[in-house]
Amino acid sequence: MKTWYDKLAEYFPIEEMKSEEHMKLLLKEKSDIYHKDESDQHVLMYVETDEFVFVDYLFVSSNARGEGLGKKLLDQLKNKKKPIILEVEPVDYEDTDTKKRQRFYKREGFTHAKSIGYRRRSLATNEVNELEILFWSPENDDENTIYEQMKHTYETIHTYKDKHLYGESYEPVNKVLTYEEESKPVKPS
């Protein structure tokens, strides 16, 4: 029988996966904010702070897709009445899963944070991975707020004990996450 980690590792690309040791350490040492919700059909790993929820991994088994389980899990998080943030691969037209995932989140009311850039070098493959930040907000939070929450997640969760766990550190947050304010047209005087 597959463990929750096996299910995630089979579904998510290696460059997006935390090590099993990393995730178990988060569940143990950051149990006040890092959570696991699982059944035979799904694995949901998420961060919950007073201000927001960050979905680290959401996996629904292929035999349960199309039955509304992903929507139900997101609805449970939406009921917390906080912004929900997640990272998703950009649409790759060779990979229909990326398209389906993006369409699913759009249908669930998630917005692409266009002003936030996210490029992280994988310690597993050494490749730079570009991801999009999607968010849902009950209060219509602006992208700068989402950016600050994403920085918090990167520093608190993604890089937690990275040197100890992987033998090297991830890049600093200001190299990985960028924020470009939308420029407003200047009126001629």
Side-chain angles (χ1 to χ4, degrees):
M1 176 128 163
K2 290 181 189 166
T3 67
W4 60 268
Y5 187 83
D6 294 336
K7 293 174 188 174
L8 293 176
E10 273 183 23
Y11 184 69
F12 289 94
I14 187 169
E15 60 272 8
E16 289 181 30
M17 283 298 296
K18 289 174 179 60
S19 71
E20 186 171 10
E21 186 185 3
H22 187 169
M23 292 169 81
K24 284 181 173 176
L25 206 56
L26 288 168
L27 287 167
K28 183 180 171 196
E29 297 181 7
K30 295 277 188 182
S31 60
D32 56 328
I33 61 167
Y34 197 76
H35 310 284
K36 175 178 63 166
D37 176 337
E38 71 172 312
S39 74
D40 293 345
Q41 304 290 342
H42 82 280
V43 179
L44 170 62
M45 308 296 289
Y46 67 98
V47 175
E48 182 178 2
T49 71
D50 292 341
E51 291 84 36
F52 68 96
V53 173
F54 174 80
V55 175
D56 205 8
Y57 299 97
L58 172 56
F59 162 80
V60 174
S61 70
S62 54
N63 58 346
R65 289 196 195 127
E67 295 178 9
L69 180 56
K71 177 182 177 25
K72 186 178 153 203
L73 292 166
L74 285 179
D75 284 347
Q76 287 172 356
L77 295 177
K78 286 177 180 178
N79 287 337
K80 296 174 182 288
K81 307 283 187 233
K82 300 174 187 178
I84 302 170
I85 308 168
L86 51 89
E87 304 162 2
V88 69
E89 297 164 272
V91 172
D92 173 354
Y93 293 98
E94 313 269 308
D95 177 3
T96 54
D97 268 0
T98 62
K99 206 167 162 180
K100 286 178 188 167
R101 224 176 339 239
Q102 290 260 11
R103 203 169 42 234
F104 167 72
Y105 287 118
K106 186 174 180 138
R107 205 172 44 238
E108 290 306 311
F110 282 76
T111 303
H112 176 201
K114 290 183 172 59
S115 58
I116 303 173
Y118 187 50
R119 294 173 53 86
R120 183 173 78 186
R121 186 175 58 85
S122 165
L123 295 181
T125 64
N126 214 24
E127 289 177 31
V128 173
N129 200 19
E130 194 157 349
L131 295 169
E132 294 177 0
I133 303 299
L134 300 184
F135 70 100
W136 172 89
S137 173
E139 302 292 325
N140 293 320
D141 285 289
D142 63 15
E143 291 189 10
N144 189 51
T145 302
I146 301 302
Y147 170 68
E148 292 300 327
Q149 293 167 340
M150 193 59 216
K151 277 178 26 184
H152 176 77
T153 301
Y154 182 80
E155 293 180 316
T156 312
I157 301 298
H158 291 350
T159 62
Y160 185 65
K161 294 193 174 180
D162 52 358
K163 187 115 173 108
H164 163 78
L165 290 162
Y166 302 103
E168 60 180 308
S169 297
Y170 279 105
E171 295 170 295
V173 69
N174 59 351
K175 277 200 173 238
V176 173
L177 279 159
T178 55
Y179 180 73
E180 279 185 44
E181 288 194 51
E182 295 176 45
S183 54
K184 294 177 177 76
V186 179
K187 292 180 184 168
S189 45

PDB file of all heavy atoms in Angstrom, residues 7 21 37 39-40 54 60 68-69 76-77 87 95 99 107 114 120 129 132 143 155 159 165 173 180 189:
ATOM      1  N   LYS A   7       2.300   8.724  -2.914  1.00  0.00           N
ATOM      2  CA  LYS A   7       1.268   9.258  -3.815  1.00  0.00           C
ATOM      3  C   LYS A   7       1.680  10.619  -4.363  1.00  0.00           C
ATOM      4  O   LYS A   7       1.548  10.893  -5.557  1.00  0.00           O
ATOM      5  CB  LYS A   7      -0.080   9.372  -3.088  1.00  0.00           C
ATOM      6  CG  LYS A   7      -0.689   8.038  -2.722  1.00  0.00           C
ATOM      7  CD  LYS A   7      -1.937   8.236  -1.874  1.00  0.00           C
ATOM      8  CE  LYS A   7      -2.461   6.933  -1.324  1.00  0.00           C
ATOM      9  NZ  LYS A   7      -3.580   7.122  -0.404  1.00  0.00           N
ATOM     10  N   GLU A  21      11.637  13.493   4.441  1.00  0.00           N
ATOM     11  CA  GLU A  21      12.157  13.938   5.738  1.00  0.00           C
ATOM     12  C   GLU A  21      11.743  15.384   6.027  1.00  0.00           C
ATOM     13  O   GLU A  21      11.340  15.717   7.138  1.00  0.00           O
ATOM     14  CB  GLU A  21      13.686  13.804   5.738  1.00  0.00           C
ATOM     15  CG  GLU A  21      14.316  14.099   7.075  1.00  0.00           C
ATOM     16  CD  GLU A  21      15.847  14.080   7.045  1.00  0.00           C
ATOM     17  OE1 GLU A  21      16.446  13.890   5.972  1.00  0.00           O
ATOM     18  OE2 GLU A  21      16.430  14.287   8.117  1.00  0.00           O
ATOM     19  N   ASP A  37      -4.023  16.361   5.391  1.00  0.00           N
ATOM     20  CA  ASP A  37      -5.384  15.847   5.364  1.00  0.00           C
ATOM     21  C   ASP A  37      -5.353  14.751   4.298  1.00  0.00           C
ATOM     22  O   ASP A  37      -4.993  15.019   3.151  1.00  0.00           O
ATOM     23  CB  ASP A  37      -6.328  17.000   4.960  1.00  0.00           C
ATOM     24  CG  ASP A  37      -7.780  16.561   4.800  1.00  0.00           C
ATOM     25  OD1 ASP A  37      -8.041  15.363   4.569  1.00  0.00           O
ATOM     26  OD2 ASP A  37      -8.655  17.424   4.878  1.00  0.00           O
ATOM     27  N   SER A  39      -6.940  10.746   2.721  1.00  0.00           N
ATOM     28  CA  SER A  39      -7.838   9.589   2.679  1.00  0.00           C
ATOM     29  C   SER A  39      -7.253   8.658   1.622  1.00  0.00           C
ATOM     30  O   SER A  39      -6.199   8.940   1.060  1.00  0.00           O
ATOM     31  CB  SER A  39      -9.259  10.023   2.277  1.00  0.00           C
ATOM     32  OG  SER A  39      -9.302  10.333   0.894  1.00  0.00           O
ATOM     33  N   ASP A  40      -7.949   7.565   1.319  1.00  0.00           N
ATOM     34  CA  ASP A  40      -7.478   6.676   0.247  1.00  0.00           C
ATOM     35  C   ASP A  40      -7.453   7.411  -1.093  1.00  0.00           C
ATOM     36  O   ASP A  40      -6.695   7.064  -1.977  1.00  0.00           O
ATOM     37  CB  ASP A  40      -8.415   5.460   0.112  1.00  0.00           C
ATOM     38  CG  ASP A  40      -8.348   4.552   1.321  1.00  0.00           C
ATOM     39  OD1 ASP A  40      -7.395   4.688   2.123  1.00  0.00           O
ATOM     40  OD2 ASP A  40      -9.252   3.707   1.475  1.00  0.00           O
ATOM     41  N   PHE A  54      -1.919  28.336   2.644  1.00  0.00           N
ATOM     42  CA  PHE A  54      -1.083  28.018   1.485  1.00  0.00           C
ATOM     43  C   PHE A  54      -1.209  26.527   1.214  1.00  0.00           C
ATOM     44  O   PHE A  54      -0.950  25.708   2.100  1.00  0.00           O
ATOM     45  CB  PHE A  54       0.389  28.375   1.745  1.00  0.00           C
ATOM     46  CG  PHE A  54       1.293  27.916   0.632  1.00  0.00           C
ATOM     47  CD1 PHE A  54       1.399  28.656  -0.537  1.00  0.00           C
ATOM     48  CD2 PHE A  54       2.005  26.731   0.744  1.00  0.00           C
ATOM     49  CE1 PHE A  54       2.209  28.214  -1.586  1.00  0.00           C
ATOM     50  CE2 PHE A  54       2.810  26.285  -0.297  1.00  0.00           C
ATOM     51  CZ  PHE A  54       2.913  27.031  -1.466  1.00  0.00           C
ATOM     52  N   VAL A  60      -5.418  14.274  -5.883  1.00  0.00           N
ATOM     53  CA  VAL A  60      -6.653  13.476  -5.894  1.00  0.00           C
ATOM     54  C   VAL A  60      -6.376  12.302  -6.816  1.00  0.00           C
ATOM     55  O   VAL A  60      -5.921  12.492  -7.950  1.00  0.00           O
ATOM     56  CB  VAL A  60      -7.859  14.307  -6.397  1.00  0.00           C
ATOM     57  CG1 VAL A  60      -9.093  13.429  -6.552  1.00  0.00           C
ATOM     58  CG2 VAL A  60      -8.146  15.473  -5.454  1.00  0.00           C
ATOM     59  N   GLY A  68     -15.759  15.575  -7.805  1.00  0.00           N
ATOM     60  CA  GLY A  68     -15.948  16.744  -6.961  1.00  0.00           C
ATOM     61  C   GLY A  68     -15.137  16.758  -5.677  1.00  0.00           C
ATOM     62  O   GLY A  68     -15.332  17.628  -4.826  1.00  0.00           O
ATOM     63  N   LEU A  69     -14.205  15.813  -5.521  1.00  0.00           N
ATOM     64  CA  LEU A  69     -13.408  15.753  -4.296  1.00  0.00           C
ATOM     65  C   LEU A  69     -12.471  16.960  -4.172  1.00  0.00           C
ATOM     66  O   LEU A  69     -12.366  17.566  -3.109  1.00  0.00           O
ATOM     67  CB  LEU A  69     -12.611  14.437  -4.237  1.00  0.00           C
ATOM     68  CG  LEU A  69     -11.734  14.228  -3.005  1.00  0.00           C
ATOM     69  CD1 LEU A  69     -12.537  14.332  -1.704  1.00  0.00           C
ATOM     70  CD2 LEU A  69     -11.042  12.865  -3.084  1.00  0.00           C
ATOM     71  N   GLN A  76     -13.594  23.381   1.782  1.00  0.00           N
ATOM     72  CA  GLN A  76     -13.283  23.317   3.217  1.00  0.00           C
ATOM     73  C   GLN A  76     -12.277  24.411   3.587  1.00  0.00           C
ATOM     74  O   GLN A  76     -12.386  25.041   4.640  1.00  0.00           O
ATOM     75  CB  GLN A  76     -12.716  21.948   3.588  1.00  0.00           C
ATOM     76  CG  GLN A  76     -13.754  20.852   3.586  1.00  0.00           C
ATOM     77  CD  GLN A  76     -13.135  19.458   3.779  1.00  0.00           C
ATOM     78  OE1 GLN A  76     -11.930  19.293   3.845  1.00  0.00           O
ATOM     79  NE2 GLN A  76     -14.000  18.459   3.848  1.00  0.00           N
ATOM     80  N   LEU A  77     -11.305  24.625   2.701  1.00  0.00           N
ATOM     81  CA  LEU A  77     -10.311  25.677   2.962  1.00  0.00           C
ATOM     82  C   LEU A  77     -10.945  27.060   2.804  1.00  0.00           C
ATOM     83  O   LEU A  77     -10.667  27.962   3.590  1.00  0.00           O
ATOM     84  CB  LEU A  77      -9.108  25.525   2.026  1.00  0.00           C
ATOM     85  CG  LEU A  77      -8.266  24.266   2.213  1.00  0.00           C
ATOM     86  CD1 LEU A  77      -7.144  24.203   1.188  1.00  0.00           C
ATOM     87  CD2 LEU A  77      -7.714  24.161   3.626  1.00  0.00           C
ATOM     88  N   GLU A  87       0.977  27.281  -5.664  1.00  0.00           N
ATOM     89  CA  GLU A  87       1.905  27.352  -6.795  1.00  0.00           C
ATOM     90  C   GLU A  87       1.435  26.329  -7.814  1.00  0.00           C
ATOM     91  O   GLU A  87       1.044  25.226  -7.447  1.00  0.00           O
ATOM     92  CB  GLU A  87       3.316  26.957  -6.344  1.00  0.00           C
ATOM     93  CG  GLU A  87       3.845  27.764  -5.198  1.00  0.00           C
ATOM     94  CD  GLU A  87       5.013  27.081  -4.495  1.00  0.00           C
ATOM     95  OE1 GLU A  87       5.456  25.989  -4.908  1.00  0.00           O
ATOM     96  OE2 GLU A  87       5.472  27.643  -3.496  1.00  0.00           O
ATOM     97  N   ASP A  95       1.563  18.710 -22.040  1.00  0.00           N
ATOM     98  CA  ASP A  95       1.113  18.000 -20.835  1.00  0.00           C
ATOM     99  C   ASP A  95      -0.318  18.438 -20.504  1.00  0.00           C
ATOM    100  O   ASP A  95      -0.534  19.509 -19.976  1.00  0.00           O
ATOM    101  CB  ASP A  95       2.082  18.338 -19.686  1.00  0.00           C
ATOM    102  CG  ASP A  95       1.679  17.712 -18.361  1.00  0.00           C
ATOM    103  OD1 ASP A  95       0.682  16.958 -18.320  1.00  0.00           O
ATOM    104  OD2 ASP A  95       2.355  17.988 -17.359  1.00  0.00           O
ATOM    105  N   LYS A  99      -2.917  21.798 -18.080  1.00  0.00           N
ATOM    106  CA  LYS A  99      -4.072  22.534 -18.601  1.00  0.00           C
ATOM    107  C   LYS A  99      -5.313  22.251 -17.737  1.00  0.00           C
ATOM    108  O   LYS A  99      -6.037  23.172 -17.368  1.00  0.00           O
ATOM    109  CB  LYS A  99      -4.316  22.100 -20.047  1.00  0.00           C
ATOM    110  CG  LYS A  99      -4.996  23.108 -20.911  1.00  0.00           C
ATOM    111  CD  LYS A  99      -4.873  22.654 -22.350  1.00  0.00           C
ATOM    112  CE  LYS A  99      -5.861  23.346 -23.231  1.00  0.00           C
ATOM    113  NZ  LYS A  99      -5.738  22.914 -24.622  1.00  0.00           N
ATOM    114  N   ARG A 107     -11.897  27.609 -12.473  1.00  0.00           N
ATOM    115  CA  ARG A 107     -13.311  27.308 -12.200  1.00  0.00           C
ATOM    116  C   ARG A 107     -13.632  27.505 -10.716  1.00  0.00           C
ATOM    117  O   ARG A 107     -14.743  27.883 -10.358  1.00  0.00           O
ATOM    118  CB  ARG A 107     -13.586  25.861 -12.627  1.00  0.00           C
ATOM    119  CG  ARG A 107     -15.000  25.564 -12.979  1.00  0.00           C
ATOM    120  CD  ARG A 107     -15.220  24.179 -13.587  1.00  0.00           C
ATOM    121  NE  ARG A 107     -14.531  23.094 -12.923  1.00  0.00           N
ATOM    122  CZ  ARG A 107     -13.658  22.274 -13.538  1.00  0.00           C
ATOM    123  NH1 ARG A 107     -13.377  22.417 -14.814  1.00  0.00           N
ATOM    124  NH2 ARG A 107     -13.080  21.297 -12.862  1.00  0.00           N
ATOM    125  N   LYS A 114      -0.387  37.946 -11.546  1.00  0.00           N
ATOM    126  CA  LYS A 114       0.488  38.267 -12.677  1.00  0.00           C
ATOM    127  C   LYS A 114       1.705  39.113 -12.279  1.00  0.00           C
ATOM    128  O   LYS A 114       2.724  39.092 -12.952  1.00  0.00           O
ATOM    129  CB  LYS A 114      -0.312  38.981 -13.763  1.00  0.00           C
ATOM    130  CG  LYS A 114      -1.303  38.062 -14.459  1.00  0.00           C
ATOM    131  CD  LYS A 114      -2.028  38.785 -15.579  1.00  0.00           C
ATOM    132  CE  LYS A 114      -2.873  37.883 -16.428  1.00  0.00           C
ATOM    133  NZ  LYS A 114      -3.904  37.143 -15.772  1.00  0.00           N
ATOM    134  N   ARG A 120      12.398  29.144  -8.783  1.00  0.00           N
ATOM    135  CA  ARG A 120      13.130  28.475  -7.717  1.00  0.00           C
ATOM    136  C   ARG A 120      14.020  27.380  -8.293  1.00  0.00           C
ATOM    137  O   ARG A 120      13.574  26.548  -9.068  1.00  0.00           O
ATOM    138  CB  ARG A 120      12.132  27.868  -6.728  1.00  0.00           C
ATOM    139  CG  ARG A 120      12.790  27.217  -5.534  1.00  0.00           C
ATOM    140  CD  ARG A 120      11.771  26.804  -4.523  1.00  0.00           C
ATOM    141  NE  ARG A 120      11.117  25.568  -4.934  1.00  0.00           N
ATOM    142  CZ  ARG A 120      10.101  25.026  -4.301  1.00  0.00           C
ATOM    143  NH1 ARG A 120       9.564  25.613  -3.271  1.00  0.00           N
ATOM    144  NH2 ARG A 120       9.582  23.900  -4.709  1.00  0.00           N
ATOM    145  N   ASN A 129      13.054  26.243 -11.812  1.00  0.00           N
ATOM    146  CA  ASN A 129      11.672  25.905 -12.074  1.00  0.00           C
ATOM    147  C   ASN A 129      10.827  27.173 -11.950  1.00  0.00           C
ATOM    148  O   ASN A 129      10.880  27.833 -10.923  1.00  0.00           O
ATOM    149  CB  ASN A 129      11.269  24.880 -11.007  1.00  0.00           C
ATOM    150  CG  ASN A 129      10.073  24.076 -11.384  1.00  0.00           C
ATOM    151  OD1 ASN A 129       9.709  23.987 -12.538  1.00  0.00           O
ATOM    152  ND2 ASN A 129       9.454  23.474 -10.390  1.00  0.00           N
ATOM    153  N   GLU A 132       3.671  29.524 -11.373  1.00  0.00           N
ATOM    154  CA  GLU A 132       2.744  30.646 -11.266  1.00  0.00           C
ATOM    155  C   GLU A 132       2.099  30.602  -9.888  1.00  0.00           C
ATOM    156  O   GLU A 132       1.871  29.525  -9.334  1.00  0.00           O
ATOM    157  CB  GLU A 132       1.666  30.540 -12.354  1.00  0.00           C
ATOM    158  CG  GLU A 132       2.234  30.712 -13.747  1.00  0.00           C
ATOM    159  CD  GLU A 132       1.191  30.533 -14.843  1.00  0.00           C
ATOM    160  OE1 GLU A 132       0.002  30.269 -14.541  1.00  0.00           O
ATOM    161  OE2 GLU A 132       1.573  30.648 -16.017  1.00  0.00           O
ATOM    162  N   GLU A 143      -2.442  41.852  -4.861  1.00  0.00           N
ATOM    163  CA  GLU A 143      -1.333  40.949  -5.124  1.00  0.00           C
ATOM    164  C   GLU A 143      -0.136  41.235  -4.225  1.00  0.00           C
ATOM    165  O   GLU A 143       0.640  40.328  -3.942  1.00  0.00           O
ATOM    166  CB  GLU A 143      -0.952  40.979  -6.601  1.00  0.00           C
ATOM    167  CG  GLU A 143      -2.032  40.350  -7.462  1.00  0.00           C
ATOM    168  CD  GLU A 143      -1.642  40.138  -8.919  1.00  0.00           C
ATOM    169  OE1 GLU A 143      -0.446  40.297  -9.261  1.00  0.00           O
ATOM    170  OE2 GLU A 143      -2.533  39.810  -9.710  1.00  0.00           O
ATOM    171  N   GLU A 155      10.045  31.403   3.283  1.00  0.00           N
ATOM    172  CA  GLU A 155      11.050  31.475   4.352  1.00  0.00           C
ATOM    173  C   GLU A 155      10.741  30.539   5.523  1.00  0.00           C
ATOM    174  O   GLU A 155      11.645  30.034   6.172  1.00  0.00           O
ATOM    175  CB  GLU A 155      11.184  32.912   4.849  1.00  0.00           C
ATOM    176  CG  GLU A 155      11.781  33.826   3.789  1.00  0.00           C
ATOM    177  CD  GLU A 155      11.930  35.260   4.237  1.00  0.00           C
ATOM    178  OE1 GLU A 155      10.985  35.800   4.858  1.00  0.00           O
ATOM    179  OE2 GLU A 155      12.985  35.851   3.963  1.00  0.00           O
ATOM    180  N   THR A 159      12.022  26.621   2.835  1.00  0.00           N
ATOM    181  CA  THR A 159      13.456  26.585   3.141  1.00  0.00           C
ATOM    182  C   THR A 159      13.738  26.115   4.577  1.00  0.00           C
ATOM    183  O   THR A 159      14.859  26.236   5.049  1.00  0.00           O
ATOM    184  CB  THR A 159      14.094  27.968   2.914  1.00  0.00           C
ATOM    185  OG1 THR A 159      13.479  28.913   3.801  1.00  0.00           O
ATOM    186  CG2 THR A 159      13.945  28.433   1.475  1.00  0.00           C
ATOM    187  N   LEU A 165      18.743  19.442   5.804  1.00  0.00           N
ATOM    188  CA  LEU A 165      18.030  18.399   5.067  1.00  0.00           C
ATOM    189  C   LEU A 165      18.667  18.041   3.732  1.00  0.00           C
ATOM    190  O   LEU A 165      18.678  16.880   3.333  1.00  0.00           O
ATOM    191  CB  LEU A 165      16.579  18.830   4.824  1.00  0.00           C
ATOM    192  CG  LEU A 165      15.681  18.882   6.061  1.00  0.00           C
ATOM    193  CD1 LEU A 165      14.450  19.725   5.789  1.00  0.00           C
ATOM    194  CD2 LEU A 165      15.291  17.474   6.482  1.00  0.00           C
ATOM    195  N   VAL A 173      14.969  34.514  -0.526  1.00  0.00           N
ATOM    196  CA  VAL A 173      13.626  34.828  -1.010  1.00  0.00           C
ATOM    197  C   VAL A 173      13.625  35.944  -2.064  1.00  0.00           C
ATOM    198  O   VAL A 173      12.869  35.888  -3.034  1.00  0.00           O
ATOM    199  CB  VAL A 173      12.673  35.147   0.171  1.00  0.00           C
ATOM    200  CG1 VAL A 173      13.023  36.467   0.842  1.00  0.00           C
ATOM    201  CG2 VAL A 173      11.216  35.134  -0.268  1.00  0.00           C
ATOM    202  N   GLU A 180       6.301  42.960  -9.258  1.00  0.00           N
ATOM    203  CA  GLU A 180       6.293  44.130 -10.137  1.00  0.00           C
ATOM    204  C   GLU A 180       4.961  44.826  -9.995  1.00  0.00           C
ATOM    205  O   GLU A 180       3.930  44.264 -10.361  1.00  0.00           O
ATOM    206  CB  GLU A 180       6.461  43.704 -11.598  1.00  0.00           C
ATOM    207  CG  GLU A 180       7.882  43.442 -11.989  1.00  0.00           C
ATOM    208  CD  GLU A 180       7.996  43.150 -13.477  1.00  0.00           C
ATOM    209  OE1 GLU A 180       7.358  43.858 -14.290  1.00  0.00           O
ATOM    210  OE2 GLU A 180       8.705  42.192 -13.805  1.00  0.00           O
ATOM    211  N   SER A 189       0.607  66.447 -18.529  1.00  0.00           N
ATOM    212  CA  SER A 189       0.235  67.667 -17.783  1.00  0.00           C
ATOM    213  C   SER A 189       0.025  68.833 -18.692  1.00  0.00           C
ATOM    214  O   SER A 189       0.423  68.871 -19.810  1.00  0.00           O
ATOM    215  CB  SER A 189       1.289  67.996 -16.736  1.00  0.00           C
ATOM    216  OG  SER A 189       2.574  67.874 -17.279  1.00  0.00           O
TER     217      SER A 189
END
